[in-house]
Amino acid sequence: MTELSAKPAFSPSSTAQSGAANYPGLDDWRDLPVSQQPSWQDKDVFDASVRELSVLPPLVFAGEVDVLRERLAAAAQGKAFLLQGGDCAETFEAATADKISARVKTILQMAVVLTYGAAMPVIKMGRMAGQFAKPRSSNDETRNGVTLPAYRGDIVNGYEFTPESRGHDAGRMLRAYHTSASTLNLIRAFTQGGFADLRSVHQWNKGFTENPAHARYESLARDIDRAIKFMASCGADFEALKRVEFFASHEALLLDYERALTRIDSRTGFPYDTSAHFLWIGERTRELDHAHIDFLSRVRNPIGVKLGPSTTGDDALRLIDKLDPEREPGRLTFITRMGAGNIREKLPAVVEKVTASGAQVLWVTDPMHGNTVTSPNGYKTRNFDDVIDEVRGFFEVHHALGTVPGGLHVEMTGDDVAECLGGADPVDQEAFLDKYESVCDPRLNHMQSLEMAFLVAGALAK
Ligand code: PEP
Ligand code: MN
């Protein structure tokens, strides 16, 4: 754990908590140890921002969140598969129609590959429309002898290396909300307005450069086309194909923001964090008696927890007791990110212990965060082979134990970037000079993402 402080710098005035103001327990986290929170510069700006966030419309609806919980329950039983992907850190500047649509198209393509290959429904979820806060291993960054606060994501400060930009500005929470709203609006338009219709399966491939995964996708898309034409000539009704469900998720890191967007649902009387459908707790903030676990234990959203290589079976059981005391199907997802070199050795004990306890969680692999290295020319990167190896290890462990490998969590983009090394049309480190765009962790590019989907489809079909 890093930079632990007993309390956030200051608490909002009580008028800022409308909607869920008096719901018991929702503010208990304020008295617990909390890490990775900003030191906001200006109390007035902070108060005004929280007050406004507390009365703005919810970004997602409680009913959608409940549907997602049911979908995730099916995935935990091996009846569906979760595909969760997007940037490590979204930025305000990159929330453009082109970039958002390329990412959504890539996720839809990956989902088609998985659905077709594995003959299983795929739950589509973006690390999108709210992934603006980043945990950091150091509070500061030094460049050429100058030390400034580290970049903590656009919701806290700017990436530009100047004192003005790196100050922690609570007004950015409002911009994060509005950027999330416009991103979600576009996603909803794409996925509800006919663009995601399975009959457009070729369309989503247009505009991407020719490469091996691209060609393989085209051939699969032709098979799907043929199947659709066959069904159409049998008189099938394709209305249902026009719309797909697409869920939003992000790391629930910045508790002031998450708390301010928590609302009491009028149907059920329970609190929902309406900043996203699904929220996860990161590897650095999952300590049992600390603020993040406490706050997330009190909202109805399905919750994920990242589990790194030091996780023990007992840690997992304690997390289940705290976050899913009722053992509710779909409530809890464990996202393992152990590293290719660790997964086969470390994962079995954790899974066995959970299985023996009778609890059912959804197991998802994040093959990115345990495999980060620095390239010889100084970029933060990941080797595609390591990423693939962790995915294979994840499937091997679950197949050997007879448990369910239920999902894939990846940092990816629809753009032709060069951030991870390797792949069928290999990215080398020289390409980083021109095509490395991430402000945080390296992402799979469009082709590497499709390649990954083919690999996982193969593993699921077994
Ligand atoms: C992330 O998902 O970007 C992240 C920081 O992950 P983790 O908490 O697993 O390190
Ligand atoms: Mn990351």
Side-chain angles (χ1 to χ4, degrees):
M1 303 288 307
T2 50
E3 323 113 52
L4 197 63
S5 61
K7 280 187 182 179
F10 26 75
S11 299
S13 53
S14 55
T15 52
Q17 305 291 315
S18 82
N22 300 317
Y23 197 89
L26 281 182
D27 289 298
D28 284 11
W29 64 271
R30 297 185 192 280
D31 296 323
L32 298 174
V34 64
S35 52
Q36 299 284 347
Q37 302 307 288
S39 313
W40 301 120
Q41 308 175 119
D42 185 325
K43 168 133 176 75
D44 292 340
V45 174
F46 173 79
D47 270 347
S49 302
V50 169
R51 204 173 304 118
E52 192 168 337
L53 284 172
S54 314
V55 294
L56 280 165
L59 290 171
V60 303
F61 299 101
E64 299 170 337
V65 172
D66 291 339
V67 168
L68 174 63
R69 199 180 319 99
E70 283 169 29
R71 302 285 183 263
L72 296 176
Q77 295 182 330
K79 295 179 184 155
F81 189 78
L82 172 66
L83 172 63
Q84 186 177 17
D87 291 330
C88 176
E90 291 178 284
T91 62
F92 299 154
E93 195 188 350
T96 64
D98 284 351
K99 285 186 188 291
I100 294 165
S101 75
R103 224 171 314 139
V104 171
K105 273 196 275 187
T106 304
I107 293 173
L108 292 175
Q109 287 187 295
M110 293 174 79
V112 161
V113 171
L114 288 167
T115 310
Y116 194 72
M120 205 189 287
V122 172
I123 305 158
K124 293 163 270 293
M125 190 187 284
R127 273 179 75 111
M128 292 179 76
Q131 178 52 21
F132 290 114
K134 294 311 301 173
R136 302 319 302 242
S137 45
S138 167
N139 273 334
D140 301 315
E141 182 183 346
T142 301
R143 289 190 199 173
N144 306 321
V146 180
T147 300
L148 291 174
Y151 173 63
R152 290 189 169 272
D154 273 14
I155 195 167
V156 175
N157 58 2
Y159 186 67
E160 197 193 343
F161 196 71
T162 61
E164 298 71 40
S165 137
R166 290 292 173 98
H168 294 182
D169 173 6
R172 284 176 166 269
M173 289 195 284
L174 286 171
R175 188 145 176 225
Y177 169 89
H178 290 293
T179 309
S180 299
S182 57
T183 302
L184 258 180
N185 183 52
L186 199 59
I187 293 176
R188 289 188 193 278
F190 280 147
T191 54
Q192 302 299 309
F195 172 84
D197 192 320
L198 205 45
R199 287 164 290 185
S200 309
V201 70
H202 283 288
Q203 217 50 41
W204 308 332
N205 214 19
K206 297 259 155 57
F208 291 124
T209 46
E210 289 290 339
N211 61 51
H214 182 277
R216 204 168 158 197
Y217 177 84
E218 271 301 311
S219 133
L220 179 142
R222 275 194 297 275
D223 287 352
I224 293 176
D225 259 355
R226 259 197 302 277
I228 288 176
K229 285 198 182 105
F230 170 73
M231 294 298 288
S233 53
C234 299
D237 174 4
F238 287 122
E239 262 316 287
L241 292 185
K242 281 196 181 144
R243 281 174 287 280
V244 302
E245 286 177 348
F246 197 103
F247 299 98
S249 71
H250 62 258
E251 177 173 351
L253 185 69
L254 193 48
L255 292 178
D256 289 320
Y257 180 80
E258 303 302 338
R259 173 66 185 90
L261 282 171
T262 297
R263 305 279 184 272
I264 307 303
D265 174 33
S266 54
R267 298 167 314 149
T268 60
F270 291 121
Y272 287 71
D273 181 344
T274 64
S275 71
H277 300 102
F278 179 92
L279 296 148
W280 77 86
I281 302 166
E283 166 72 358
R284 295 176 182 79
T285 50
R286 62 173 170 80
E287 291 205 10
L288 210 59
D289 299 319
H290 289 200
H292 288 82
I293 297 279
D294 186 87
F295 178 68
L296 274 299
S297 76
R298 296 172 192 277
V299 295
R300 285 286 291 143
N301 308 58
I303 302 298
V305 186
K306 294 282 202 90
L307 300 181
S310 66
T311 313
T312 65
D314 285 333
D315 291 339
L317 293 188
R318 282 191 283 263
L319 285 166
I320 294 171
D321 281 342
K322 187 90 196 194
L323 291 168
D324 184 22
E326 311 288 335
R327 306 291 192 266
E328 190 182 14
R331 161 71 174 172
L332 186 58
T333 297
F334 280 150
I335 307 169
T336 61
R337 33 84 86 218
M338 307 224 157
N342 293 320
I343 181 122
R344 292 172 180 83
E345 186 195 333
K346 310 269 185 188
L347 183 59
V350 181
V351 175
E352 276 172 322
K353 196 104 192 204
V354 171
T355 309
S357 80
Q360 191 166 50
V361 300
L362 169 60
W363 294 102
V364 169
T365 176
D366 162 2
M368 314 299 291
H369 288 89
N371 296 305
T372 313
V373 293
T374 304
S375 66
N377 65 351
Y379 286 79
K380 196 176 187 185
T381 188
R382 290 157 177 156
N383 286 297
F384 190 65
D385 287 348
D386 295 339
V387 171
I388 294 292
D389 191 36
E390 177 150 1
V391 175
R392 284 192 210 282
F394 174 79
F395 276 94
E396 282 166 29
V397 168
H398 283 287
H399 286 153
L401 295 174
T403 45
V404 178
L408 173 71
H409 177 119
V410 277
E411 289 184 340
M412 47 71 64
T413 173
D415 302 326
D416 180 29
V417 302
E419 297 171 4
C420 291
L421 292 166
D425 185 6
V427 169
D428 60 27
Q429 61 165 352
E430 305 315 319
F432 293 165
L433 305 178
D434 292 335
K435 296 204 287 185
Y436 195 107
E437 294 178 12
S438 176
V439 291
C440 203
D441 288 341
R443 303 160 297 176
L444 301 178
N445 63 22
H446 173 256
M447 183 196 73
Q448 290 166 330
S449 301
L450 278 189
E451 231 183 302
M452 164 72 83
F454 279 110
L455 174 106
V456 173
L460 277 172
K462 278 191 192 134

